[in-house]
């Protein structure tokens, strides 16, 4: 937080009015009122500064939470832990907790860790330890200095773990840290206490205990003893005789001494009390963590659970992230196959592809959490679904993040860089943090961390094994996970969605004063004419998204009130538009923003201090767009706020109730199902996972009401509730590490939910979107305004440069008519296969034996059957069964 300066008055007293020659009663009241206002402001600022300072002091000085270590008591002869069913066999070596999973149908064995790690010619010693680990922990401190502990060198080698088993589950409790094992016996004790303990032991055991200690009498020390140092460590030695543990003491003697003290009832509380006997008695405060991993089988699924309430850490060393099974199923330099990552609709990374100079793959599941601030944005990394996979020639697996997906990011990399392995895994954010700007004079970074983990949540990864190396089979396995058999579409035509934008905000002159006001692009009457014309052109059953039609336009004010826009025609014209469309096949979906507010003030029902969400630092979640030039926050633009979850919930209810009242066909969520953010308000913290559950419930409420639901992008938790998804990413970022883009997500969805890509007419190359749509079996999407694109000059909406309906209506008709005629035969079918005929030609096959061949290249392509696929075009072909 930047320092705030309070300006003093002429006589040097803050808030006191200037001296005046005369002061009447009215003036005196005004001056008194001014004084109290300024005093109140001063006190608020002072209280806020005090809060920040206290918070920082507390974070830096919270006493360590004592974390007791687990201990492995087995040996090399301890038998392996086995779980088995008709599909798979799980085998864990308790001496390392490494395990293997046998896929019985194919004979493929999946290993938790690569074999022969020590001979890896690429891996350094640190990476070798990672390769031997079942998880990695990243932790930090108040200054934001991060470090990583691997489970092998910081737990397994130190024997800081225990393994438990029952019929259906194997549990491993890990302690991870760079400390020696704590033995529960006195480090120092008085002579009287020693005699008291020895009285409870046999003569032989008492003698054994005393042999582990040295008797210290200040009147009878060795010549080599430094009296001053001893008194500094053991102040009570000046008054009485004490015993101190010998150092060093062999491990077997430590264990024997601990066992003897345990036999007479010596407890951890006694140990803590005796530690106070000497000044260096407290255990060194170093990073230490406890974590529990549960393994179980379910059919052909192998499940890994990490409950949050079993994760322990010290406040001084907050846990930042956990990477789960980072090398499970990893492929070597001689293996054939690929890694699957959820980039866009799906992407493949071939094993050993040689791209060792390229960055590995990384992306955030569901995108960025807007309740965590960021200084710059270079590339938005987001996945709509939490799945990754590994495929060999005859066997494959997909890992589905069943719980904790909102905290996950997906990483993948090839051999020849850090190691000889090709691998993919999920990393989970644990505690979020924010950088404090305390003052200009403080050069040290200071971080505030999330107070604690949500105790009622967990991480759960499902590994589904597939008896082939086909990504289509992998995608179908994911589709079976997402849906039940009752979820099916029943389209009369290929789905088409049309967005009509009513108003945007634009600076306009009002009595010579520049003001930001709604600017008309399409009135309600004009919208009804566009919808009617679309119908008359043969585009039937269109999903019409009404955007920027309420509460000030596209950058919508807080939906605390439901206001029509006067320049668009007001309430009466809005109702007439709905009435007109009722006789058509098109359906109207009112688009609204329920997670953010724009340009709202107290008169709109918005007060930022009570209605905005909070960052971890407790600062208001005030957001800006990011510059594509310097990548930082563009503070020349208007800021906007992420809403507090309770305020967002109220906005959702208002949208639903008003949509029902005005007899709309459905609701279009602009952000729900697309953007997912936490809320760190101290009095009502909502984790990202809980917000996801809340969004799902809001979607269910829409369906229960009888209205349809439209969402953007289509995060996987929304697909069961949505009727149609718009703006779905069909082809993702073309990162250099990737080798192929595939319609994995669409294979899982097609025939179960409708979806489209981005608006065709606003794309840099509209034919590319049409081709991607044909490959993925998607519907089509257009965005229109009634006015000329020239009206968007001097606004921040030039991305709609090709949205004029008059300019695009004929081209839209041609594109959709041809597309619908060709792809209507597969509009309700499931995708049965997908492959590449060549580098630039794909073929997507459907259950009814039709296939769609798409040529992304710039030259014609001739199939083996002699069918010509023109350059940059598509063709539907019937294949005889």
């Amino acid at each position: 937080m930047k320092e705030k300066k309070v300006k003093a008055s002429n006589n040097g007293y803050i808030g006191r009015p200037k001296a005046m020659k005369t002061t009447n009663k009215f003036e005196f009241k005004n001056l008194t009122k001014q004084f109290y206002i300024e005093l109140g402001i001063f006190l608020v600022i002072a209280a806020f500064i005090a809060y920040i300072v206290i918070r920082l002091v507390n974070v830096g000085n919270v006493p360590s939470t004592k974390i007791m270590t687990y201990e492995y008591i087995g040996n090399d002869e301890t038998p392996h832990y086995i779980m088995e069913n008709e599909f798979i066999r799980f085998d864990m070596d308790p001496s390392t907790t490494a395990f293997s999973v046998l896929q019985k149908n194919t004979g493929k064995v999946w290993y938790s860790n690569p074999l022969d790690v020590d001979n890896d010619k690429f891996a350094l010693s640190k990476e070798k330890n990672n390769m031997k680990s079942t998880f990695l922990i990243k932790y930090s401190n108040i200054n934001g200095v991060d470090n990583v502990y691997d489970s092998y060198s910081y737990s397994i080698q130190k024997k800081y773990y225990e393994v438990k088993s029952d019929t259906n589950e194997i549990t491993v409790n890990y302690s991870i840290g760079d400390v020696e094992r704590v033995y529960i016996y006195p480090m120092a004790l008085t002579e009287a206490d020693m005699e008291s303990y020895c009285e409870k032991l046999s003569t032989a055991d008492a003698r054994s205990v005393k042999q582990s200690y040295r008797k210290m009498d200040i009147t009878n020390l060795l010549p080599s003893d430094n009296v001053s140092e001893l008194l500094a460590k053991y102040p009570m030695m000046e008054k009485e005789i004490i015993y101190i543990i010998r150092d060093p003491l062999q491990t077997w003697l430590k264990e024997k001494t601990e066992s003897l003290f345990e036999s007479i009832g010596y407890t951890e509380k006694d140990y803590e009390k005796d530690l106070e006997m000497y000044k260096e008695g407290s255990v060194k405060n170093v990073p230490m963590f406890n974590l529990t991993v549960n393994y179980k089988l379910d059919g052909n699924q192998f499940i890994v659970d990490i409950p949050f309430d079993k994760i322990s850490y010290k406040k001084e060393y907050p846990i930042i992230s956990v990477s789960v099974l980072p090398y499970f199923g990893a492929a070597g330099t001689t293996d054939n196959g690929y890694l699957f990552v959820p980039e866009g609709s799906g992407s493949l990374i071939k094993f050993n592809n040689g791209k060792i100079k390229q960055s590995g793959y990384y992306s955030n599941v569901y995108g960025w959490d807007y309740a965590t601030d960021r200084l710059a944005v270079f590339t938005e990394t987001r996945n709509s679904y939490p799945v990754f996979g590994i495929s060999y020639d005859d066997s494959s697996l997909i890992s589905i993040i069943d719980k904790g997906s909102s905290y996950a990011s997906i990483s993948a990399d090839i051999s020849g860089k850090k190691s000889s392995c090709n691998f993919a895994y999920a990393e989970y954010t644990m505690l979020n943090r924010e950088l404090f700007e305390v003052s200009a004079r403080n050069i040290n970074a200071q971080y505030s961390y999330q107070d604690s983990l949500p105790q009622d949540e967990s991480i759960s990864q499902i590994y589904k094994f597939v008896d082939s190396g086909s990504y289509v089979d992998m995608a179908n396995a994911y589709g079976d996970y997402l849906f039940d058999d009752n979820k099916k579409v029943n389209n009369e035509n290929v789905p088409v969605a049309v967005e009509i934008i009513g108003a945007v905000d634009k600076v306009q002159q009002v009595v010579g004063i520049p003001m930001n006001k709604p600017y008309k692009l399409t009135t309600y009457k004009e919208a009804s004419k566009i919808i009617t014309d679309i119908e008359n052109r043969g585009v039937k059953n269109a999903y019409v998204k009404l955007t920027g039609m309420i509460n000030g336009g596209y950058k919508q004010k807080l939906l605390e009130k439901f206001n029509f826009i006067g320049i668009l025609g007001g309430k009466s014209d809005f109702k007439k538009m709905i009435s007109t469309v009722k006789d058509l096949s098109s359906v109207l979906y009112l688009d609204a923003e329920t997670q953010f507010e724009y340009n709202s003030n107290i008169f709109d029902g918005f007060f930022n201090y009570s209605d905005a969400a909070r960052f971890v630092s407790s600062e208001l979640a005030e957001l800006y767009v990011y510059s594509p030039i310097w990548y930082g926050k563009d503070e020349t633009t208007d800021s906007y706020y992420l809403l507090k979850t309770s305020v967002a919930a109220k906005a959702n209810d208002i949208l639903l109730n008003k949509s029902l009242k005005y007899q709309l066909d459905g609701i279009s969520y602009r952000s729900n199902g697309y953007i997912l953010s936490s809320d760190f308000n101290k009095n009502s913290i909502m984790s990202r996972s809980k917000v996801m559950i809340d969004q799902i419930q809001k979607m269910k409420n829409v369906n229960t009401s009888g209205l349809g639901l439209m969402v953007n992008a289509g995060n996987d938790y929304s697909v069961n509730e949505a009727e149609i998804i718009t703006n779905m990413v069909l082809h993702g970022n073309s990162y250099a590490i990737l080798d192929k883009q595939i319609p994995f997500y669409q294979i899982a969805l097609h025939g179960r939910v409708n979806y489209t890509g981005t608006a065709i007419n606003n794309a840099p190359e509209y034919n590319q979107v049409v081709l991607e749509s044909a490959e993925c079996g998607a519907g089509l999407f257009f965005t229109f305004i009634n006015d000329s694109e020239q009206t968007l000059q001097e606004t921040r909406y030039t991305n709609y440069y090709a949205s004029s309906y008059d300019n695009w209506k004929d081209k839209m008709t041609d594109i959709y008519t041809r597309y619908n005629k060709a792809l209507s035969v597969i509009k309700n079918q499931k995708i049965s296969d997908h492959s590449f005929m060549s580098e630039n030609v794909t073929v997507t096959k459907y259950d009814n034996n039709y296939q769609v061949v798409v040529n992304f290249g710039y030259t014609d392509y001739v199939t083996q059957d002699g069918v010509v696929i023109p350059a940059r075009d598509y063709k539907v072909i019937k294949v005889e069964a």
Side-chain angles (χ1 to χ4, degrees), residues 539-825:
V539 181
K540 306 293 184 180
N541 306 113
Y543 294 91
V544 180
K545 181 191 294 190
L546 301 174
T547 300
M549 296 284 185
I550 59 170
N551 285 34
Y554 188 89
K555 284 191 176 179
Q556 174 197 301
K557 294 180 182 293
L558 174 66
L559 198 56
E560 198 271 342
K561 301 175 183 177
F562 190 91
N563 295 321
F564 298 104
I565 301 174
I567 58 171
L568 301 187
K571 179 179 178 179
S572 60
D573 282 359
F574 186 86
K575 294 173 71 174
K576 289 178 183 177
M577 173 187 66
I578 296 172
S579 177
T580 300
V581 176
K582 286 295 183 186
D583 297 328
L584 306 177
S585 64
S586 298
V587 285
L588 298 184
Y589 285 67
L590 181 62
D591 182 78
E593 179 58 77
T594 59
Q595 290 193 44
F596 303 95
E597 71 72 38
Y598 299 89
N599 304 318
S600 304
N601 54 41
I602 195 70
F603 299 106
D604 303 307
F606 177 73
F607 182 54
N608 57 2
Y609 284 97
S610 61
D611 296 336
R614 301 268 176 170
F615 294 136
V616 175
S617 61
S618 292
E619 295 178 6
L620 298 173
E622 184 177 11
L623 308 170
Y624 291 88
V625 297
Y626 289 82
S627 170
I629 300 172
W630 71 86
Y631 306 113
K633 295 178 182 178
D634 187 355
E635 297 187 1
T636 64
T637 63
D638 293 332
S639 64
Y640 61 105
Y641 288 92
L642 175 67
L643 294 176
K644 189 177 181 179
T645 49
S646 59
V647 177
K650 183 178 179 182
N652 275 282
D653 293 340
I654 291 173
L655 175 61
L656 175 58
N657 293 333
K658 294 297 183 180
S659 297
L660 289 169
K661 176 179 179 180
Y662 292 104
Q663 299 182 346
L664 288 152
D665 298 293
I667 286 173
S668 168
Y669 279 136
R670 192 178 305 174
S671 295
N672 285 4
Y674 169 45
I675 293 174
L676 186 61
S677 300
S678 312
D679 181 3
F680 296 104
N681 270 287
K682 296 300 178 185
N683 295 328
S684 55
I685 293 176
M686 287 287 285
S687 69
R688 205 177 187 208
S689 182
K690 289 180 180 177
V691 172
M692 181 177 74
I693 294 170
D694 187 62
Q695 284 192 17
I696 294 171
Q697 186 56 54
K698 295 301 181 187
M699 295 175 193
K700 290 181 181 293
N701 293 345
V702 173
N703 283 331
T704 301
S705 74
L707 295 179
L709 179 64
M710 178 186 293
V711 298
N712 278 320
N715 290 346
D716 70 328
Y717 59 82
S718 71
V719 297
N720 266 292
E721 310 305 328
E723 189 172 355
I724 184 168
I725 301 164
T726 58
N727 289 304
M728 179 178 282
V729 178
L730 302 180
H731 281 195
N733 293 309
S734 299
Y735 298 126
I737 194 69
L738 305 177
D739 293 302
K740 292 285 186 182
Q741 299 202 34
I742 60 170
F744 182 97
Y745 198 29
Q746 289 73 32
I747 293 170
L749 300 185
H750 201 276
R752 289 154 161 162
V753 63
N754 295 319
Y755 52 87
T756 77
T758 55
I760 291 171
N761 53 312
N762 285 323
E765 184 184 357
Y766 75 83
N767 195 44
Q768 177 69 20
V769 180
V770 175
L771 295 178
E772 291 175 7
S773 299
E775 180 193 13
C776 297
L780 301 183
F781 182 40
F782 301 89
T783 295
F784 295 127
I785 61 175
N786 186 75
D787 289 1
S788 167
E789 298 98 330
Q790 295 179 358
T791 61
L792 295 173
Q793 294 179 0
E794 299 182 2
T795 73
R796 297 187 180 273
Y797 299 92
T798 52
N799 53 309
Y800 295 113
Y801 61 89
S803 295
S804 172
Y805 181 70
D806 285 341
N807 293 343
W808 253 88
K809 58 187 178 183
D810 292 335
K811 189 173 291 186
M812 175 210 67
T813 304
D814 293 342
I815 291 172
Y816 179 75
T817 300
R818 184 200 166 198
Y819 191 88
N820 182 53
K821 183 178 180 181
L823 273 75
S824 183
V825 292

Side-chain angles (χ1 to χ4, degrees), residues 163-292:
V163 184
K164 296 182 177 181
S165 174
D166 61 29
T167 306
N168 301 313
E169 185 172 276
I170 294 173
T171 297
V172 186
N173 296 314
Y174 292 94
S175 295
I176 310 98
D178 192 16
V179 293
E180 294 183 359
R181 182 190 181 287
V182 176
Y183 291 90
I184 308 302
Y185 51 69
M187 303 297 291
L189 70 165
T190 65
E191 184 178 34
D193 286 341
M194 174 63 84
E195 296 303 328
S196 174
Y197 289 134
C198 286
E199 287 177 1
K200 301 176 183 178
L201 296 167
S202 67
T203 302
D205 288 342
R207 186 184 308 114
S208 177
V209 166
K210 285 188 177 182
Q211 287 174 352
S212 298
Y213 289 83
R214 180 187 170 192
K215 186 176 182 180
M216 303 294 291
D217 182 348
I218 197 170
T219 64
N220 187 24
L221 296 175
L222 298 175
S224 58
D225 290 329
N226 187 316
V227 177
S228 58
E229 286 184 3
L230 287 171
L231 288 174
K233 290 178 67 174
Y234 311 105
M236 63 180 56
M237 196 175 105
E238 188 173 10
K239 299 179 181 179
E240 56 186 314
I241 297 172
I242 66 171
Y243 282 82
I244 62 172
I245 197 74
R246 294 187 183 276
D247 188 21
L249 192 66
Q250 291 178 301
T251 301
W252 71 272
L253 280 174
K254 290 179 180 180
E255 293 174 350
K256 182 178 180 181
T257 303
E258 181 184 55
S259 177
L260 290 173
F261 273 97
E262 183 181 9
S263 70
I264 59 175
Y266 190 82
T267 65
E268 291 179 18
K269 289 184 178 180
D270 297 322
Y271 171 78
E272 292 286 351
K273 178 183 176 182
D274 289 336
L275 279 180
E276 299 173 3
M277 291 277 292
Y278 61 108
K279 289 188 176 181
E280 295 186 7
S282 58
V283 176
K284 185 179 179 182
N285 188 20
V286 295
M288 191 72 185
F289 308 89
N290 278 352
L291 181 145
T292 294

Side-chain angles (χ1 to χ4, degrees), residues 301-445:
Q301 300 180 152
F302 159 57
I303 302 172
V304 182
D305 288 330
I306 300 178
F308 284 5
D309 62 0
K310 298 295 184 181
I311 298 176
S312 303
Y313 60 94
K314 297 181 179 180
K315 283 287 187 179
E316 295 88 346
Y317 301 102
I319 183 171
I320 301 302
S321 68
V322 174
S323 300
V324 178
L325 298 179
Y327 278 93
F328 182 68
T333 54
T334 60
D335 290 315
N336 294 317
Y338 54 81
L339 306 172
F340 163 73
V341 293
E343 178 59 38
S345 58
S347 297
L348 305 181
I349 303 173
K350 294 179 181 178
F351 293 166
N352 315 305
N353 66 13
K355 300 177 181 181
I356 59 175
K357 293 184 178 180
Q358 306 300 330
S359 299
Y361 178 78
Y362 176 87
S363 191
N364 302 101
V365 175
Y366 308 140
W368 190 255
D369 184 342
Y370 282 76
T372 55
D373 200 10
R374 46 186 175 170
L375 298 177
V377 176
F378 298 94
T379 302
E380 287 282 4
T381 62
R382 79 175 312 276
N383 307 129
S384 293
Y385 55 105
V387 181
F388 62 92
I390 303 173
S391 177
Y392 292 81
D393 290 336
D394 61 350
S395 302
S396 57
L397 66 80
I398 56 170
S399 181
I400 304 169
I401 302 173
D402 185 54
K403 296 177 183 177
S405 58
S406 58
Y407 309 121
S409 57
I410 307 299
S411 295
D413 214 343
I414 58 169
S415 65
K417 297 166 74 174
K418 294 191 295 184
S419 71
S420 297
C421 293
N422 306 270
F423 57 93
Y425 65 94
E427 180 180 3
Y428 299 85
T429 298
M430 294 285 97
L431 297 175
N432 291 282
R433 60 183 170 183
E434 294 289 347
L435 176 65
F436 266 118
E437 184 181 351
V438 181
S439 73
R441 294 189 295 272
N442 189 341
I443 62 174
N444 294 322

